[in-house]
Amino acid sequence: MLSSIRLSFAFLASLVFALVSPDAFAGEIQEISGETMGTTYRIKWVEDISAESELKQLVDDRLEEINRLMSTYDPTSELSKFNAYQKSDWFPVSDETAMVVQAALDISELSGGAFDPTVGRLVRLWNFGSDPRTNAAPSQEAIDEALKSVGYQFIKVREKPPALSKSNPMVELDLSAIAKGYGVDATIQLLADQKILNCMVEIGGEVRVSGTKNGAPWKLGIERPEALTQSLHATVELADAALATSGDYRNYFEEEGVRYSHTISPQTGKPVTHQLASASV
């Protein structure tokens, strides 16, 4: 599970992957697509099934279920209710939410805090969350105040019964950097349950493939990190693997000639500044 997790400083923007088709297929490739998690999804598979509309409904229902658990844009979601809960006792959640939060905390530990799901207040402060977008950089005082609630060590997870707690009542979790990857994994499992074992699932640029495409690896393209054009930088071949990419060239705003990207450092409370345009894992 969770093979599509990305290592990053904060939540990662959706990156459109161009799917590169080979010149010829041994069998017909079927496809469905739709919208989820504020972006789009696309699924391709090889196995011949007749009820594509039924499969699409199953996928839509499964992704909507995950959205109801982990969305920061839905005030009624499980995660939003936890973020609004300003107490330190255990807050009951679903098994899935507990599992994803624990995975996020594990990655936070492994990355020395470079990845931190408690940047929710900073994400909103910098115009990349559910609040209305102002395209204005916050004051240093506001950043310092939000940083007081950032720290993955504030969050604890209980498995049975599943629950979350926060020692700092102002902490806000943001699972945007991991929830889409989990959605991809959950969709792959749903397809496997439907006997679809050779497939490709993509949600907002998070990709996982199962099996092969008529005996050959699935070919995917990594987009060149340029804001105004869409062209391929490289292609990769995958079989039973996942690919995720993040860059600073799609989700950003500019103020007085300065570009602020969505990738927020939990150490400084500000968008990271460096020469790296894109990274793939």
Side-chain angles (χ1 to χ4, degrees), residues 128-266:
F128 298 111
S130 57
D131 289 354
R133 193 159 186 166
T134 65
N135 287 343
S139 67
Q140 185 61 53
E141 290 76 15
I143 294 171
D144 292 340
E145 184 64 27
L147 276 171
K148 295 177 182 179
S149 65
V150 175
Y152 66 92
Q153 300 91 343
F154 291 138
I155 300 294
K156 301 297 181 185
V157 180
R158 186 180 69 191
E159 290 187 5
K160 295 182 180 180
L164 306 177
S165 71
K166 47 186 172 181
S167 56
N168 181 336
M170 300 304 293
V171 169
E172 293 183 21
L173 284 174
D174 191 315
L175 299 178
S176 299
I178 190 172
K180 281 189 297 183
Y182 179 69
V184 169
D185 289 340
T187 303
I188 285 283
Q189 183 58 56
L190 183 152
L191 296 176
D193 294 342
Q194 301 299 313
K195 311 303 181 185
I196 300 175
L197 305 179
N198 295 286
C199 57
M200 182 281 302
V201 175
E202 178 258 341
I203 300 179
E206 303 300 303
V207 184
R208 181 175 169 183
V209 302
S210 174
T212 64
K213 183 191 290 186
N214 294 316
W218 293 86
K219 291 186 178 181
L220 302 107
I222 297 177
E223 199 173 56
R224 187 177 300 279
E226 298 172 347
L228 300 179
T229 62
Q230 290 189 354
S231 59
L232 289 183
H233 171 69
T235 60
V236 294
E237 295 186 347
L238 296 180
D240 292 316
L243 176 69
T245 296
S246 180
D248 65 357
Y249 57 98
R250 290 282 183 232
N251 194 8
Y252 66 90
F253 71 90
E254 293 185 358
E255 184 184 29
E256 296 182 354
V258 179
R259 174 185 290 195
Y260 298 100
S261 81
H262 71 283
T263 311
I264 309 298
S265 166

Side-chain angles (χ1 to χ4, degrees), residues 5-13 104 107-108 111-123 126 128 147 150-152 172-178 245-248 261-279 281:
I5 291 172
R6 291 94 77 217
L7 301 182
S8 74
F9 294 105
F11 79 93
L12 302 181
I107 296 172
S108 297
S111 65
F115 178 98
D116 194 321
T118 65
V119 294
R121 290 185 67 191
L122 285 170
V123 168
W126 279 98
F128 298 111
L147 276 171
V150 175
Y152 66 92
E172 293 183 21
L173 284 174
D174 191 315
L175 299 178
S176 299
I178 190 172
T245 296
S246 180
D248 65 357
S261 81
H262 71 283
T263 311
I264 309 298
S265 166
Q267 282 77 37
T268 67
K270 300 177 180 180
V272 297
T273 56
H274 50 55
Q275 297 302 309
L276 183 66
S278 177
V281 178

Side-chain angles (χ1 to χ4, degrees), residues 19 21 25 28-34 41-47 49 52-53 55-56 200 202 213 218:
L19 301 181
S21 301
F25 299 121
E28 182 179 357
I29 304 299
Q30 301 184 73
E31 178 177 352
I32 57 174
S33 60
Y41 74 81
R42 178 163 44 171
I43 299 172
K44 292 187 176 185
W45 71 93
V46 177
E47 285 83 358
I49 63 170
E52 289 186 21
S53 60
L55 179 63
K56 186 178 188 307
M200 182 281 302
E202 178 258 341
K213 183 191 290 186
W218 293 86

